[in-house]
C-alpha cells in the first residue's frame, strides 16, 4: 500500500506500480498496529515536520522491518548544522531535516543497519538509456555498503520483533536491480535520460 500526500500522487503510484494508494499524513498513519511486515519511508523524513513521530508511526504499523531512506544524510554535526542553516523554506518541496547516524539511531533504535544509498557521482551518459545501460549504471553507483565520504544518502534498516536475524540470506544484486527496473522494463517509454 502506498501512502501519498496528494490524490494526484496516489493515482500516479497506482498507475506506475500497481499498488493500492491512500492519501494521508505520515504523522498519523491510517492503519492498525502491525498491519504490514515491512514499512518503508523513501525520501520522506527529510520533508516532514516531526520525523521522530513519523518513525514511531512506521514502527507501530510494521511487524518486522522499518526502512527509511534519505539523501539528506550528513557525515557529522558540523555538516548537519551548516545544511540546516542553508534551508530555503520559500521552495515548495524543501528539505526540512538533515540527519546524522545518531539521529537515525534515536528514531529507530541503536541496532539499526545503516547502508549507503549510492556513490556521489553519477556517471554522465548522453541520451536515453537502454535497460542494460541502466542496470550497469545502477550497479556501479550502488556498490558500497557503509555510508562514507564518497557516498550519498543513507538507508536505515530497523529489525523489529519477529524479524529475521542479520545473517539471514540477502537478495542477489541482480534480483534487486530487476525489481527496481521492472516498471521501466514493462514500460520502456518511461526510461529517463541521464
Amino acid at each position: 500500500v502506498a501512502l501519498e500526500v496528494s490524490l494526484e500522487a496516489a493515482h500516479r503510484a497506482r498507475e506506475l506500480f500497481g499498488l493500492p494508494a491512500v492519501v494521508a499524513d505520515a504523522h498519523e498513519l491510517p492503519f492498525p498496529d502491525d498491519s504490514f511486515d515491512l514499512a518503508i519511508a523513501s525520501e520522506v523524513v527529510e520533508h516532514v515536520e516531526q520525523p521522530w513521530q513519523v518513525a514511531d508511526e512506521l514502527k507501530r504499523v510494521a511487524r518486522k522491518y522499518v526502512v527509511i531512506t534519505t539523501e539528506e544524510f550528513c557525515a557529522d554535526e558540523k555538516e548537519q548544522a551548516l545544511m540546516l542553516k542553508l534551508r530555503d523554506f520559500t521552495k515548495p518541496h524543501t528539505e526540512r531535516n538533515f540527519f546524522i547516524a545518531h539521529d537515525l539511531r534515536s528514531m529507530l533504535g541503536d541496532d539499526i543497519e545503516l547502508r549507503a544509498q549510492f556513490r556521489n557521482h553519477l556517471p554522465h551518459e548522453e541520451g536515453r538509456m537502454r535497460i542494460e545501460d541502466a542496470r550497469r549504471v545502477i550497479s556501479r553507483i550502488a556498490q558500497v555498503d557503509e555510508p562514507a565520504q564518497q557516498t550519498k544518502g543513507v538507508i536505515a534498516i530497523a529489525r523489529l520483533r519477529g524479524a529475521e536475524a542479520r545473517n539471514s540470506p540477502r537478495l542477489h544484486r541482480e534480483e534487486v536491480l530487476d525489481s527496481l527496473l521492472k516498471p521501466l522494463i514493462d514500460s520502456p517509454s518511461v526510461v529517463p535520460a541521464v
Side-chain angles (χ1 to χ4, degrees):
V1 174
L3 182 121
E4 295 291 347
V5 295
S6 73
L7 191 55
E8 181 181 336
H11 287 302
R12 188 76 174 137
R14 278 188 218 114
E15 177 184 302
L16 283 175
F17 304 109
L19 293 172
V22 297
V23 177
D25 183 342
H27 294 90
E28 296 180 35
L29 297 175
F31 307 109
D33 294 358
D34 299 325
S35 292
F36 308 99
D37 284 339
L38 167 67
I40 301 173
S42 181
E43 307 309 309
V44 171
V45 294
E46 63 270 24
H47 300 289
V48 299
E49 290 186 27
Q50 301 293 327
W52 275 258
Q53 183 180 346
V54 170
D56 287 344
E57 281 292 281
L58 293 169
K59 291 185 290 188
R60 181 184 66 75
V61 301
R63 282 186 293 269
K64 295 182 179 183
Y65 301 95
V66 171
V67 176
I68 292 178
T69 72
T70 180
E71 282 189 46
E72 311 319 324
F73 184 71
C74 301
D76 55 37
E77 290 175 349
K78 286 183 183 179
E79 180 185 357
Q80 182 185 39
L82 175 63
M83 297 305 293
L84 289 170
K85 284 182 183 177
L86 294 174
R87 291 180 293 189
D88 182 358
F89 290 111
T90 63
K91 294 182 180 178
H93 192 68
T94 194
E95 286 77 13
R96 296 176 162 278
N97 308 298
F98 292 84
F99 302 93
I100 57 175
H102 171 77
D103 296 332
L104 295 168
R105 286 189 176 93
S106 75
M107 290 166 67
L108 296 173
D110 289 332
D111 194 34
I112 63 170
E113 185 177 338
L114 296 178
R115 299 195 167 252
Q117 277 184 310
F118 48 86
R119 294 184 187 281
N120 273 338
H121 303 288
L122 179 66
H124 179 71
E125 309 220 1
E126 292 295 327
R128 299 180 68 75
M129 295 180 114
R130 296 175 316 186
I131 294 300
E132 298 79 29
D133 296 331
R135 180 188 301 270
R136 181 179 46 76
V137 168
I138 291 169
S139 183
R140 190 171 2 154
I141 63 175
Q143 287 180 346
V144 291
D145 280 337
E146 297 296 320
Q149 235 175 358
Q150 293 78 28
T151 65
K152 183 143 180 82
V154 67
I155 301 169
I157 304 166
R159 286 167 176 76
L160 306 177
R161 58 210 171 267
E164 295 179 25
R166 277 193 182 193
N167 58 0
S168 61
R170 296 177 76 177
L171 289 174
H172 295 287
R173 185 175 302 275
E174 293 78 22
E175 292 173 297
V176 172
L177 288 173
D178 285 345
S179 68
L180 289 171
L181 293 171
K182 184 173 181 356
L184 300 178
I185 293 167
D186 292 345
S187 180
S189 63
V190 298
V191 178
V194 176

